């Protein structure tokens, strides 16, 4: 809320969190982008997706991790008004 | 009696493994437990000086493993605590002088006559670390509230779990309360949330740790020291006692939240 810009601990925690996610998953941050592109490519072969709105991230609960992909489909072209 | 073996390890160097081993060993002995501390940092031994026993070394761990002496002969009795012993590391050899199965054998011999066998691991994730965790019934990770130490701790947790050992427990060392309050040090609570393992102690940054190391008399023997109290509390928790956590983040809500986390972790 009134987070002073000079405090470094919140920044440290945020950076650490991301580092741990990628260390644990043995997945370098840059590979996530490739993974996303390939996923879109595969899925697009079967169904039309809204490419710009796809999000893919690793979520954690305790020491468990899961890959969460949110892939919105393309809205029907001829929508009734 | 079947003694419990506990290894103190960290990944990153210099976070306080030797200090923790010496002080928790001392505190356990003060509680009347029979304790042996083993220095597994072969080639870089230091547990002897932190315990103030460096002048009494004749034989070491490698002498035992290579059959140059009996186990009993390498055990140095503490001056003030007759139930506290040290098995020093060899100083002129390296980590390969001992194998993980040697460590298991040595520990198994000690279990019959001691309550606790505490093992001071070297830094790193190589042979010395493997030697140190091989005989461990419980692995305790020491970390500092700092990005690289916590990152290394997380890596170690993964490696210990891959060995099919119990999930390690955590000690956060060198917490500086005023830096946390100022927002320039990651709070103990946040470290705990990220690593998501059971906490067994938070030790404050305390100048008297260095002073007591200078003297060769562990801080756990000093009644008034906060760090000493933190180490004594850890020792009590290791004996199964339910000791409340010191309020170290300077946030009155910390204690309650921590104990909740601990309880939900099954402690
Ligand atoms: N709570 C504390 N407050 C202040 N200083 C501390 C604290 N804990 C440890 N230290 C200091 O930090 C330094 C490193 O501690 P120690 O030798 O125990 O670390 P270590 O993890 O065993 O290192 P290594 O990886 O080299 O074996 C020492 O000078 C010690 O006095
Ligand atoms: Mg050490």
């Amino acid at each position: 809320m009134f987070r002073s810009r000079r405090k470094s601990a919140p920044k440290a925690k945020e950076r650490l969190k991301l580092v741990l996610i990628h260390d644990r998953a043995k997945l370098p941050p840059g590979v996530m982008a490739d993974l996303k592109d390939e996923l879109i490519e595969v899925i697009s072969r079967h169904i039309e997706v809204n490419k710009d709105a796809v999000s893919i991230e690793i979520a954690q609960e305790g020491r468990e991790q899961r890959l969460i992909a949110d892939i919105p489909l393309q809205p029907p072209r001829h929508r009734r008004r | 009696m079947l003694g419990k073996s506990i290894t103190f390890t960290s990944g990153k160097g210099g976070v306080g493994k030797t200090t923790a081993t010496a002080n928790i060993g001392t505190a356990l002995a003060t509680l009347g437990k029979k304790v042996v501390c083993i220095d597994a940092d072969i080639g870089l031994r230091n547990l002897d000086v932190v315990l103030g026993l460096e002048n009494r070394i004749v034989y070491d761990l490698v002498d035992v493993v290579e059959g140059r002496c009996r186990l009993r002969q390498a055990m140095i009795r503490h001056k003030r605590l007759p139930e506290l012993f040290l098995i020093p590391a060899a100083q002129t050899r390296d980590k390969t002088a001992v194998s993980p199965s040697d460590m298991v054998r040595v520990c198994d011999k000690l279990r019959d006559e001691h309550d606790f066998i505490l093992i001071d691991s070297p830094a790193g994730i190589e042979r010395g670390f493997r030697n140190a965790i091989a005989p461990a019934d419980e692995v305790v990770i020491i970390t500092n509230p700092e990005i690289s130490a916590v990152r290394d701790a997380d890596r170690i947790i993964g490696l210990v779990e891959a060995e099919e050992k119990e999930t390690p427990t955590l000690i956060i060392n060198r917490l500086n309360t005023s830096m946390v309050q100022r927002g320039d040090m990651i709070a103990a609570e946040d470290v705990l949330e990220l690593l998501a393992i059971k906490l067994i102690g938070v030790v404050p940054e305390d100048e008297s740790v260095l002073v007591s190391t200078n003297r060769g008399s562990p801080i756990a023997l000093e009644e008034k020291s906060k760090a000493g109290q933190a180490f004594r509390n850890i020792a009590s928790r290791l004996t199964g006692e339910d000791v409340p956590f010191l309020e170290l983040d300077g946030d009155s809500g910390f204690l309650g939240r921590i104990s909740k986390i601990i309880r939900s972790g099954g402690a």
Side-chain angles (χ1 to χ4, degrees):
Chain A
M1 278 173 278
F2 298 106
R3 231 181 57 197
S4 149
R5 214 177 265 170
R6 300 203 336 266
K7 289 183 179 174
S8 61
K11 181 84 185 163
K13 186 185 175 188
E14 211 38 55
R15 293 177 59 216
L16 188 49
K17 192 171 181 173
L18 280 174
V19 165
L20 294 190
I21 283 176
H22 291 288
D23 282 0
R24 284 179 193 168
K26 299 186 179 74
L27 187 72
V31 177
M32 278 288 270
D34 295 347
L35 182 63
K36 182 172 161 182
D37 290 344
E38 287 172 38
L39 203 61
I40 290 174
E41 192 199 303
V42 170
I43 293 171
S44 300
R45 276 187 228 148
H46 305 281
I47 188 164
E48 201 175 348
V49 306
N50 180 357
K51 290 183 187 166
D52 299 331
V54 170
S55 98
I56 167 162
E57 58 179 30
I58 296 172
Q60 7 192 31
E61 226 173 90
R63 299 192 61 80
E64 307 266 292
Q65 297 193 296
R66 60 187 64 208
L67 190 65
I68 298 197
D70 181 7
I71 307 172
L73 301 181
Q74 198 65 273
R77 243 158 266 195
H78 309 290
R79 218 188 300 173
R80 255 189 257 150
R81 297 230 163 202
Chain B
M1 173 170 11
L2 199 57
K4 183 173 192 183
S5 53
I6 305 176
T7 297
F8 297 86
T9 192
S10 65
K12 189 176 192 295
V15 299
K17 297 175 291 296
T18 302
T19 304
T21 309
N23 279 287
I24 294 164
T26 302
L28 283 168
T30 314
L31 292 173
K33 302 295 176 189
K34 298 184 176 197
V35 184
V36 195
C37 296
I38 304 180
D39 190 342
D41 200 346
I42 298 165
L44 291 168
R45 81 171 170 220
N46 272 321
L47 191 54
D48 55 338
V49 287
V50 179
L51 284 167
L53 297 174
E54 70 275 15
N55 289 330
R56 313 198 5 221
I57 296 177
V58 179
Y59 296 109
D60 57 49
L61 181 61
V62 176
D63 291 322
V64 173
V65 166
E66 295 181 349
R68 273 184 299 277
C69 70
R70 281 176 293 114
L71 183 54
R72 210 63 222 178
Q73 294 174 287
M75 293 170 60
I76 302 164
R77 191 189 288 272
H78 192 267
K79 289 163 281 189
R80 287 159 66 184
L81 298 160
E83 298 296 6
L84 176 62
F85 292 87
L86 165 72
I87 300 179
Q91 186 65 328
T92 55
R93 301 287 293 274
D94 65 40
K95 273 44 175 184
T96 60
V98 167
S99 72
S101 55
D102 290 332
M103 291 297 290
V104 171
R105 227 174 308 123
V106 169
C107 279
D108 283 346
K109 277 191 206 154
L110 293 165
R111 279 180 216 279
D112 291 339
E113 286 175 31
H114 301 87
D115 299 299
F116 288 95
I117 302 148
L118 305 187
I119 301 161
D120 180 16
S121 164
I125 54 173
E126 295 83 20
R127 177 68 173 265
F129 159 74
R130 300 272 165 208
N131 286 340
I133 65 161
D137 296 324
E138 178 174 340
V139 176
V140 176
I141 313 268
I142 317 283
T143 194
N144 298 154
E146 178 248 318
I147 295 183
S148 46
V150 176
R151 182 189 201 176
D152 288 5
D154 192 70
R155 178 107 168 83
I156 294 288
I157 295 167
L159 293 173
V160 172
E161 284 179 335
E163 295 279 312
E164 303 196 348
K165 289 192 178 277
E166 294 266 315
T167 303
T169 53
L170 182 70
I171 294 175
I172 300 171
N173 186 29
R174 305 194 77 158
L175 188 89
N176 182 326
T177 310
S178 59
M179 284 193 77
V180 172
Q181 280 168 342
R182 207 181 322 135
D184 279 326
M185 181 176 274
I186 310 172
E189 200 187 356
D190 291 333
V191 173
L192 191 59
E193 178 197 317
L194 291 171
L195 292 179
I197 57 174
K198 183 175 130 190
L199 183 72
I200 60 160
V202 181
V203 183
E205 170 79 25
D206 188 342
E207 283 185 5
S208 52
V209 170
L210 181 58
V211 175
S212 67
T213 302
N214 286 343
R215 299 209 168 98
S217 168
I219 190 96
L221 293 172
E222 268 163 60
E223 213 52 55
K224 289 197 181 115
S225 151
K226 279 194 171 176
Q229 183 63 51
F231 284 123
R232 288 194 294 275
N233 287 349
I234 295 169
S236 300
R237 289 184 193 114
L238 290 174
T239 66
E241 207 186 308
D242 186 8
V243 187
F245 279 78
L246 302 168
E247 290 182 58
L248 289 163
D249 280 350
D251 167 354
S252 58
F254 175 73
L255 191 149
R257 287 198 298 276
I258 288 288
S259 32
K260 241 179 271 155
I261 297 171
I262 302 300
R263 249 170 250 136
S264 68

